[in-house]
Structures are given as C-alpha cells and as structure tokens.
Amino acid sequence: MPIISQLAYSLGINSEEPNKELARKIAATNDKKAIEELVANLNNKVARIQSNCIKTLYEAGELKPELTAPYAREFI
C-alpha cells in the first residue's frame, strides 16, 4: 500500500494521529522507501498532503534521525 494512502488526509481523518502512527511504523521497520515517498511528496499539489508528509517525516526523524538525515536539504 502506498505511503500517501496511509496519511491522515488520504484516510479522511482530520487528526495528526494517523501520521504519527505511520511515522512510528516507518521508524520501527527502518522503511527507507517510505521516507523517499514522503520526501517526493513534499511538493505535492495538495497542500494537506504536503503538510501530512512533513509531519510524518518530522515524527519519524524524531524517532530515528538517520532515516531523514540524508534529506536535510529538502527540509530547508
């Protein structure tokens, strides 16, 4: 299942909890492909997808910084 479809926006939920849960899952499984997909969608045309990606990346990076560190330039 694509990562974008697991974001709060895609699930129709107006809460950050699905994004936080997704971040925990990504960190626990060391899912680098999920991180890549989230980073690729930082420029998505839908602003809520962008913000959900940022939140999920932030939360995953908090738990496992080495997953998001290679993308520091994209965050700036």
Side-chain angles (χ1 to χ4, degrees):
M1 171 183 285
I3 291 300
I4 299 306
S5 66
Q6 298 176 57
L7 295 173
Y9 171 79
S10 299
L11 297 172
I13 299 172
N14 196 17
S15 163
E16 293 294 338
E17 200 52 44
N19 301 331
K20 291 178 183 179
E21 180 59 35
L22 179 57
R24 287 189 287 271
K25 185 171 86 172
I26 290 168
T29 60
N30 203 39
D31 191 346
K32 293 177 182 174
K33 291 211 180 270
I35 296 295
E36 288 176 18
E37 185 177 341
L38 290 167
V39 169
N41 277 280
L42 289 176
N43 294 315
N44 192 294
K45 63 183 176 183
V46 178
R48 285 193 54 210
I49 290 177
Q50 291 176 11
S51 65
N52 281 200
C53 288
I54 290 168
K55 178 63 173 177
T56 306
L57 286 163
Y58 171 82
E59 295 290 336
E62 181 83 14
L63 296 169
K64 203 166 223 181
E66 61 272 19
L67 281 174
T68 57
Y71 302 99
R73 288 184 163 225
E74 283 82 349
F75 302 144
I76 297 170

